[in-house]
Amino acid sequence: MEKGGFRGETLNVPNAITLLGVFGIFLYVLEYIFEMNHLLFVTVVFVAATDFFDGYFARRLNQSSKLGAILDIARDRMLLIAFFGNVVWRYGSEI
């Protein structure tokens, strides 16, 4: 077994939930680009819920992993970049 690797941690319940959140972020960006403003709030709530539930199930099922920690941080930063990128895109000249 590799020391410090991700082998055996690739897909568990919390990581799958985190990947759903990443998909939600891409959906958020597409909704913004195509001006589906009525769905933006719902998508942000969905991504926030995946953030809560991946941590909950990681603790509850004892499935914490290094890969999950990295994916969770990456997903959080992707959401911040997408959200603030959209704010700057829309209101950039007024800021």
Side-chain angles (χ1 to χ4, degrees):
M1 178 171 266
E2 294 179 32
K3 191 173 187 180
F6 298 124
R7 180 172 231 142
E9 307 180 346
T10 53
L11 191 60
N12 55 29
V13 172
N15 290 352
I17 294 171
T18 301
L19 291 175
L20 277 175
V22 171
F23 172 74
I25 293 168
F26 289 118
L27 190 62
Y28 172 83
V29 171
L30 288 174
E31 290 168 357
Y32 185 82
I33 290 170
F34 293 109
E35 299 179 0
M36 293 189 266
N37 297 332
H38 57 285
L39 295 174
L40 290 173
F41 178 74
V42 173
T43 306
V44 169
V45 170
F46 170 75
V47 173
T50 62
D51 191 23
F52 171 78
F53 284 113
D54 74 344
Y56 174 79
F57 284 116
R59 288 184 297 276
R60 180 86 172 174
L61 301 174
N62 196 24
Q63 292 184 344
S64 298
S65 65
K66 292 178 193 177
L67 178 62
I70 291 170
L71 286 174
D72 189 53
I73 291 169
R75 191 252 336 265
D76 292 344
R77 291 189 179 157
M78 288 169 59
L79 179 61
L80 287 174
I81 290 167
F83 180 76
F84 287 115
N86 289 343
V87 169
V88 169
W89 182 276
R90 180 172 286 183
Y91 303 107
S93 62
E94 299 172 17
I95 294 178

